[in-house]
Amino acid sequence: MPSDYLWLIPIVPFVGFLINGTLGRKFSRALVAAVALICTAIPAILVAWLWITMKADGAPEVLRVVSKPWIAITGLQIDFAFTVDHLTLIMLGVVTGVGFLIHVYAVGYMAHEEGFWRFFAYLNLFMFFMLVLVLADSFLLLFVGWEGVGLASYLLVGFYFQKDSAANAGKKAFIVNRIGDFGFLLAMFLIIREFGSLDFAHVFQAISVNPDWHGGVITAIALLLVLGATGKSAQIPLYVWLPDAMEGPTPVSALIHAATMVTAGIYMVARCHVLFDRSPYALGVVAIIGAATAIFAACIGMVQHDIKRVLAYSTVSQLGYMFLACGVGAYTAGIFHLLTHAFFKALLFLSAGAVIHSLSGEQDMRKMGGLRKRIPITFWTMTMGVFAISGIPPFAGFFSKDEILNQAFVSTNPLGKLLWFVGLFTAGLTAFYMFRLWFKTFFGPEHFEEHTDLRAHGAAVHTHSDSHTVMVADHEDNHAHAVHESPAIMTVPLAILALLSIIGGWVGIPAALGGHNEIEHFLEPVFSTGTIAEAATTTSSRGLELGLMTVSVLVVAIGFFIAFVFYYKKPGTGAALARRAPALYNLVLNKFYIDEVYSALIITPLLMFSRLFLGGLVDGGIVNGSGAAAGATTRGLSSLVRRVQSGNIRSYAGWLALGAAAVLLVMIFGRSIWMH
């Protein structure tokens, strides 16, 4: 594929956004869906062509297309350029491939929603910005995509903007991400100051030719970039927006909050690995944040009742795994887990959407149960996702997660063994809460009330992002309302993602299991500058790696067994334990009251400062007061001057004489005073 066609990859979804955004209101739903799918399929085909081209013998490892200078001022020139290397290829494959499947699913899922055209316009807009982010050849262009996906996320999370909870969730996601973006901006200012450029190649080359350059300003830049990554990838302390973002439609959760946007922070850290490798302190911060986020979010996920909330906290936890991998310098392992996570997490969200769809909008797992025979396709596909994320061999998550644990154990990080233990314990928690979800949803007695026929009410019940059912006008007389399997347009993407959740990890089978770890070789040109953990990998013996895998599988088995006993063999055991320790249970159930703490320590003081100081003193006192004083002064002066304009000629003559006398006095006495 000639590099000249690279620009088509992001621009085609943007064309879809323009068409559906401007004309979609007048289109039929079928035409809106066709435009959205075609504009998503074409980039996927182009990326497949790109893969074939760059995998051929003798193909270049990097493709680059450069326009005329984008910004050219004294001492700084930035080109509008796209670059594709093997890291970009993986991200492009995830964004376009998984993105297309989610678009197909969304056609069925959103079939009865108002604003159908608006939803797909936003989805295409998101695809455009995400592809710009991935293809960017400079920090600045990456930031454009970075901000663009934030905007699209705000629009999609707040799609049901008439609901306060959805509108607030959109605003929360937007504002929290701006905090991280501020760090990103400061990092770019420092990069310009130190390197005089924002081009990746220029900055990384400047670092590479100075082997003694460590710490200092590089650490400052890296830490500011980490702040940006914690916002976009939902890490401590900026993770709070992601669980609330589940207010958006389920396909949005699958696309943005599982497979693509939330991995942008991981991608950015991996892309800037040359910079992070020169700052062990920054790498340590990344590892600690990742490990802490992984176990913290997993703990919260154990007690949530909303099926999408469980998956949301699971996403935060898995992103912590990826952060942990990058923090110990195992960028390949982090990107490997990003790849497999995109498969099984998109599958899990879409399967959850199918469950919600079958139950007419119900998301509370306490009102589910016994669904495996009612919706068998959804059950089996979701089972593949549960097994994959739990790390059961030979599913995809097993290979990527164990690669991270192995890399953490053998890393030269002083906290490597502790990080490994946290990751291992989190793996057990992951198995527990995912099988808890599995048992509560598909096994045991049915706890839901079946809607056998709502047509008499003149309305159809549609899937929604809240825990309550939403009634909207019925558009199709033959719409089924009983518990039912999803249509083929939704189950086919589930089946494809289920297959990928099984075999997607086989590209990273380690040598200890007789594999060739293809993904490691594939990414070697990108990370060939040498990282701490890559070097450590060579010292990891086959016996040690097999031993670590065995321990990991045993921990996962323990997590499964506890969930089996609590929620299948002896249901009610978990509730009994919760009653024994209500304080601890409520603490975790309420997410450690982090939102309340943020509200008390940050939001409330800011609101008080804004309302009292900015709104009361500055706006009300100084701004409005100055205006009022200026108006009063003008009115007072005008009332005095108005007396001069009396219309009486004698009065005018008197004022004229008085003025002339004043001028004479000034000329006589003023001159003498001046001369004196």
Side-chain angles (χ1 to χ4, degrees):
M1 174 185 176
S3 57
D4 293 341
Y5 295 128
L6 277 181
W7 62 273
L8 282 173
I9 295 175
I11 207 68
V12 172
F14 188 70
V15 172
F17 159 71
L18 291 178
I19 295 174
N20 275 336
T22 55
L23 303 174
R25 188 190 297 269
K26 300 177 181 177
F27 289 171
S28 66
R29 290 175 182 252
L31 185 55
V32 168
V35 170
L37 292 181
I38 291 172
C39 290
T40 314
I42 290 175
I45 295 170
L46 291 172
V47 170
W49 184 14
L50 198 59
W51 269 85
I52 296 171
T53 303
M54 295 189 70
K55 286 284 287 182
D57 293 335
E61 293 179 347
V62 178
L63 290 178
R64 191 164 188 261
V65 56
V66 183
S67 72
K68 293 180 179 179
W70 181 22
I71 296 175
I73 57 177
T74 304
L76 177 66
Q77 176 176 319
I78 302 172
D79 296 328
F80 194 96
F82 290 150
T83 292
V84 177
D85 58 10
H86 288 187
L87 174 60
T88 312
L89 271 182
I90 290 179
M91 291 297 294
L92 286 176
V94 168
V95 174
T96 59
V98 176
F100 175 71
L101 291 175
I102 293 173
H103 272 69
V104 174
Y105 176 96
V107 172
Y109 189 89
M110 302 294 290
H112 304 283
E113 293 287 354
E114 297 293 335
F116 187 79
W117 61 274
R118 182 165 53 89
F119 177 78
F120 280 98
Y122 292 163
L123 275 190
N124 278 175
L125 180 66
F126 172 81
M127 292 288 288
F128 162 70
F129 281 121
M130 190 68 204
L131 290 169
V132 168
L133 186 155
V134 171
L135 287 165
D137 186 54
S138 66
F139 285 97
L140 185 60
L141 190 54
L142 187 149
F143 188 71
V144 171
W146 189 276
E147 288 298 298
V149 294
L151 169 65
S153 173
Y154 165 74
L155 295 172
L156 287 165
V157 171
F159 180 74
Y160 302 119
F161 60 88
Q162 293 177 326
K163 288 171 54 187
D164 288 342
S165 57
N168 291 334
K171 288 186 285 187
K172 186 176 184 179
F174 192 80
I175 293 171
V176 172
N177 272 281
R178 297 294 77 72
I179 298 173
D181 295 349
F182 182 65
F184 198 149
L185 271 176
L186 293 180
M188 286 199 296
F189 294 153
L190 273 179
I191 291 171
I192 293 174
R193 177 177 173 272
E194 288 297 315
F195 301 97
S197 174
L198 287 173
D199 290 341
F200 289 141
H202 180 94
V203 174
F204 299 155
Q205 178 67 20
I207 296 174
S208 299
V209 298
N210 291 284
D212 296 329
W213 197 356
H214 293 84
V217 70
I218 290 184
T219 296
I221 294 171
L223 289 177
L224 289 169
L225 290 176
V226 169
L227 177 60
T230 55
K232 197 63 74 183
S233 290
Q235 297 294 287
I236 291 175
L238 301 179
Y239 73 94
V240 291
W241 64 270
L242 196 146
D244 288 359
M246 295 301 108
E247 290 290 339
T250 299
V252 173
S253 304
L255 177 64
I256 297 180
H257 308 126
T260 53
M261 188 188 82
V262 292
T263 61
I266 313 297
Y267 169 74
M268 186 260 283
V269 173
R271 171 61 67 196
C272 302
H273 71 95
V274 175
L275 202 151
F276 280 89
D277 288 341
R278 296 300 181 87
S279 177
Y281 179 76
L283 276 180
V285 170
V286 172
I288 292 171
I289 288 176
T293 304
I295 192 169
F296 182 77
C299 289
I300 298 175
M302 288 194 306
V303 297
Q304 296 301 305
H305 300 300
D306 186 310
I307 188 170
K308 284 183 67 178
R309 293 259 173 183
V310 174
L311 296 178
Y313 282 104
S314 166
T315 299
V316 176
S317 179
Q318 297 301 308
L319 291 169
Y321 263 111
M322 299 173 210
F323 244 65
L324 170 59
C326 292
V328 298
Y331 305 105
T332 299
I335 295 300
F336 183 25
H337 198 57
L338 184 156
L339 174 68
T340 61
H341 179 263
F343 298 148
F344 58 69
K345 188 50 65 69
L347 169 63
L348 288 168
F349 267 116
L350 296 185
S351 299
V355 170
I356 297 167
H357 180 85
S358 71
L359 295 177
S360 304
E362 185 58 70
Q363 295 185 197
D364 192 332
M365 293 188 297
R366 292 170 294 188
K367 299 177 182 178
M368 297 182 183
L371 286 171
R372 70 182 187 282
K373 293 181 180 178
R374 298 291 199 102
I375 47 174
I377 298 175
T378 301
F379 166 68
W380 283 111
T381 53
M382 194 165 193
T383 299
M384 300 301 107
V386 171
F387 280 31
I389 193 175
S390 299
I392 294 176
F395 291 85
F398 165 74
F399 298 105
S400 57
K401 188 180 296 182
D402 272 86
E403 182 69 11
I404 293 174
L405 293 177
N406 179 53
Q407 297 286 359
F409 190 87
V410 301
S411 76
T412 56
N413 188 311
L415 300 176
K417 301 298 185 292
L418 177 61
L419 295 171
W420 167 80
F421 179 77
V422 172
L424 181 70
F425 187 70
T426 303
L429 296 181
T430 304
F432 170 77
Y433 68 68
M434 286 310 303
F435 280 106
R436 170 179 176 266
L437 179 152
W438 193 57
F439 285 123
K440 287 175 73 72
T441 304
F442 295 107
F443 293 86
E446 298 175 351
H447 299 294
F448 52 85
E449 294 180 4
E450 190 166 359
H451 300 276
T452 55
D453 185 12
L454 291 177
R455 204 175 309 164
H457 299 281
V461 182
H462 299 293
T463 55
H464 229 277
S465 59
D466 205 345
S467 57
H468 56 273
T469 300
V470 175
M471 312 290 286
V472 297
D474 196 359
H475 302 291
E476 297 181 9
D477 292 338
N478 58 352
H479 188 76
H481 304 298
V483 176
H484 60 285
E485 187 61 271
S486 299
I489 198 169
M490 293 171 64
T491 55
V492 169
L494 293 182
I496 296 173
L497 288 170
L499 179 63
L500 291 172
S501 297
I502 299 172
I503 66 173
W506 297 358
V507 297
I509 298 176
L513 293 177
H516 299 285
N517 207 339
E518 295 292 340
I519 193 168
E520 184 179 50
H521 299 304
F522 185 72
L523 289 173
E524 195 172 346
V526 180
F527 302 125
S528 59
T529 52
T531 65
I532 299 169
E534 298 291 345
T537 304
T538 59
T539 63
S540 175
S541 68
R542 182 172 183 270
L544 174 62
E545 191 168 354
L546 290 176
L548 294 174
M549 284 183 189
T550 304
V551 172
S552 173
V553 172
L554 286 175
V555 170
V556 169
I558 292 171
F560 164 78
F561 179 74
I562 295 174
F564 171 76
V565 172
F566 281 18
Y567 301 102
Y568 183 77
K569 191 69 176 178
K570 297 180 180 178
T573 306
L577 285 176
R579 286 192 292 272
R580 289 186 180 182
L584 177 62
Y585 175 75
N586 288 325
L587 177 66
V588 182
L589 180 65
N590 289 288
K591 301 161 283 187
F592 295 96
Y593 296 101
I594 295 298
D595 282 329
E596 288 76 6
V597 171
Y598 280 8
S599 177
L601 297 182
I602 299 175
I603 298 174
T604 301
L606 278 177
L607 285 176
M608 291 179 65
F609 175 77
S610 300
R611 290 171 179 168
L612 297 180
F613 180 74
L614 296 179
L617 180 61
V618 176
D619 192 33
I622 298 177
V623 177
N624 293 341
S626 300
T633 303
T634 304
R635 283 196 302 273
L637 289 175
S638 64
S639 65
L640 292 175
V641 175
R642 188 173 54 195
R643 299 176 183 276
V644 178
Q645 301 294 329
S646 61
N648 189 327
I649 294 179
R650 286 185 298 176
S651 175
Y652 290 160
W655 283 110
L656 182 63
L658 186 61
V663 171
L664 286 173
L665 289 173
V666 169
M667 292 180 64
I668 295 171
F669 296 102
R671 177 181 174 81
S672 61
I673 293 172
W674 176 259
M675 294 300 294
H676 179 72

